Amino acid sequence: MSGAGVPVTRRALLAGAGAALATAAVPGGAAESDDQRLRALLDGLDALPSPSARLARLETFRGDRLSPSAALDLTCIREGLAIDARIAEIMPFGQPGRSPYTLTPTSGAWRDPGRTDAADRIAADTRAISSEAAAGIILPRTLLDRTAAAVTNAAAQAQGGTATALREQAALLASLAPRAGDAPGMWRLPNGAEYYDLLLDRQFGFRGGGTAAHRLFLAKAEELIRAADAVLRRLGRREGTVGERIVAAFRDPAHLYGNDDAGRTRAVADMNRLLASAKARVPALIGPVPPECLNVAVRRMSPADEAAARSGYRELPTPDGKPGGYFVDLSDIRRRPAWSLGSVVHHELIPGHMIQLPMEARAAPHPLRLRYASAFAEGWAVYAEQLMAADGAHAGNDLMLLGHIHWLLFRIARAVIDTGVHSERWSASEARQKLGMMQGEPAFFATFDQDADRVCLEPAVRAGEASAWLALAETGAGRGGTALRRFHQAVLAHGRVRRSMLGTD
């Protein structure tokens, strides 16, 4: 594989997949030299003043004998920088590659007023907000008002120059209210439609644009709603919309754990039994994996974390024998029926994140590759849920199958409203309504209101994740046995990839 700009195909990935499992080192003096030269070049890119300057510097690189992982670094980062160069031309504001807004209810220097340089950082944000407003880039009214209220509250608790800077920022935000419209989509901003399409491409490589992505996601949502309807009917739930029947199923006390220590212990034990079954299927579905991938378990949080309702989190296993785990949030355990936890195991542990992330750690991709293939990790984990279902993990258990379908509905519904808001001109209230219709019950860790806000403030993130999941599913479709394992080895062995690198034989 040449490093001189030739796209990385799936066949090329397959050729090097097995070697990456043995060691992250690059064999051979010449290949090592090319890898080291590329790494040094990539390490210095962020010091250059613009994406176009970084891309120009990278275009001069010629590596004739790069390792598969380094070749992926080069190709991914070139693709990403080309996108960022165009974004810098049409949207030189906000948080590059993430959002056109410097300040939101969840981002900005106002959230960390205790820093010694807080006043200067807040003042810099205020100047950026003013520049954005001059270009017509202002938060939608509801989110603007919420941000202004949060900054005002922070000012009331701050002192000295920080308090002054926060008050000035709050005043500027309040002055922008008459100019802030209600529509939350990127389409309303200058160059906003193209900007959104570029963000969607940046996440994983979907290049059809927001409207095409919206059609893709709607079709998948309709397929899942039909599947949920069939399962609900078999379970005897025939009255009401699919969403209403899903809500009723979640409330059925027959499948809820006790809200006590015994109930939480039993939930973790049930999840670990599901995990044991998933581990047993890894050789047949994925093929050889590093031993640390299987050194994982579901774990109870500490009593303090449970009392604080801490969100679930992962600790990755390491090659030196440190075990990994998923610490599951069971604070509101009566909202987590037993049948909803199977896909959590498959997503968060095996064959999801605890297969992909440890393998990626061994491959040691450059951090810039992670930036420009950011949606792959979540896309793989959702694909892993679907992979286990297709392998029969829920066979004969319609309740577990319903839980699996509901999690997929959650993923696709967020993608639908992402493209709906930013490409189809949906209002925030319309997005919120669509979530309820498609999903019925919100995900345990996110209300419908929170999800609607997130897609307004983080354009293309949820759509990018769904596009990665669906691209993996499409590329792997029809494969079984050795062919399926070879595909999984190809897309996992060297760390995350972009859509163009999935390829076909």
Side-chain angles (χ1 to χ4, degrees), residues 106 112 154 170 198 304:
T106 57
D112 195 6
L198 287 166

Side-chain angles (χ1 to χ4, degrees), residues 61-126:
F61 181 84
R62 291 296 180 268
D64 295 325
R65 294 188 61 187
L66 288 172
S67 69
S69 184
L72 285 171
D73 284 343
L74 181 60
T75 305
C76 267
I77 295 165
R78 278 178 170 163
E79 282 192 18
L81 285 172
I83 296 166
D84 275 357
R86 179 56 183 161
I87 288 176
E89 291 177 2
I90 66 170
M91 188 65 71
F93 303 105
Q95 303 167 59
R98 294 180 55 199
S99 168
Y101 312 116
T102 294
L103 210 70
T104 74
T106 57
S107 66
W110 71 269
R111 301 184 74 236
D112 195 6
R115 288 178 54 136
T116 56
D117 60 347
D120 290 340
R121 294 175 69 248
I122 292 162
D125 280 356
T126 300

Side-chain angles (χ1 to χ4, degrees), residues 43-395:
D43 286 346
L45 284 185
D46 276 346
L48 297 177
S50 68
S52 58
R54 295 166 202 150
L55 182 61
R57 177 70 60 85
L58 198 55
E59 289 293 352
T60 66
F61 181 84
R62 291 296 180 268
D64 295 325
R65 294 188 61 187
L66 288 172
S67 69
S69 184
L72 285 171
D73 284 343
L74 181 60
T75 305
C76 267
I77 295 165
R78 278 178 170 163
E79 282 192 18
L81 285 172
I83 296 166
D84 275 357
R86 179 56 183 161
I87 288 176
E89 291 177 2
I90 66 170
M91 188 65 71
F93 303 105
Q95 303 167 59
R98 294 180 55 199
S99 168
Y101 312 116
T102 294
L103 210 70
T104 74
T106 57
S107 66
W110 71 269
R111 301 184 74 236
D112 195 6
R115 288 178 54 136
T116 56
D117 60 347
D120 290 340
R121 294 175 69 248
I122 292 162
D125 280 356
T126 300
R127 291 191 295 272
I129 297 164
S130 182
S131 296
E132 290 162 14
I137 299 167
I138 302 171
L139 281 167
R141 180 62 185 268
T142 300
L143 294 169
L144 178 70
D145 289 347
R146 193 182 306 166
T147 307
V151 173
T152 299
N153 182 62
Q157 300 178 51
Q159 296 179 345
T162 299
T164 300
L166 286 166
R167 285 194 294 270
E168 291 174 353
Q169 189 170 93
L172 173 60
L173 292 170
S175 74
L176 296 176
R179 297 170 53 193
D182 293 327
M186 292 297 100
W187 57 267
R188 80 189 201 287
L189 304 179
N191 300 311
E194 182 184 359
Y195 173 61
Y196 180 74
D197 289 351
L198 287 166
L199 289 180
L200 185 56
D201 188 359
R202 190 183 193 271
Q203 285 284 319
F204 181 67
F206 186 91
R207 294 177 178 169
T211 297
H214 187 68
R215 289 196 296 267
L216 174 68
F217 301 150
L218 274 179
K220 187 63 179 180
E222 290 166 359
E223 173 192 324
L224 289 169
I225 289 169
R226 290 192 298 270
D229 176 61
V231 173
L232 286 162
R233 288 179 179 277
R234 292 200 299 269
L235 291 169
R237 297 186 181 276
R238 297 181 175 84
E239 300 298 323
T241 67
V242 165
E244 289 168 346
R245 285 178 280 162
I246 288 174
V247 170
F250 266 85
R251 302 293 183 272
D252 186 345
H255 306 288
L256 301 181
Y257 294 102
N259 187 19
D260 53 21
D261 190 68
R264 290 175 175 82
T265 298
R266 187 161 67 89
V268 169
D270 287 348
M271 293 177 77
N272 276 317
R273 279 192 287 274
L274 293 168
L275 178 61
S277 296
K279 287 180 181 180
R281 295 300 300 152
V282 167
L285 290 176
I286 308 298
V289 299
E292 64 266 23
C293 291
L294 303 181
N295 187 19
V296 297
V298 182
R299 305 189 191 281
R300 284 278 303 269
M301 288 187 185
S302 69
D305 282 346
E306 285 184 352
R310 180 177 178 180
S311 297
Y313 64 96
R314 294 181 296 273
E315 289 184 356
L316 294 184
T318 60
D320 62 6
K322 178 186 174 183
Y326 178 64
F327 293 78
V328 59
D329 177 3
L330 298 173
S331 56
D332 192 4
I333 196 169
R334 300 292 283 180
R335 287 191 56 229
R336 307 205 82 163
W339 48 265
S340 72
L341 297 177
S343 281
V344 177
V345 170
H346 302 149
H347 181 105
E348 298 292 350
L349 289 134
I350 290 175
H353 288 307
M354 292 297 190
I355 295 290
Q356 186 263 323
L357 291 174
M359 290 180 73
E360 180 168 89
R362 285 197 173 217
H366 193 275
L368 288 175
R369 181 169 15 135
L370 307 188
R371 179 188 301 176
Y372 294 124
S374 59
F376 178 88
E378 193 64 15
W380 170 265
V382 181
Y383 169 73
E385 300 174 38
Q386 189 169 307
L387 179 67
M388 288 299 294
D391 192 53
H394 313 307

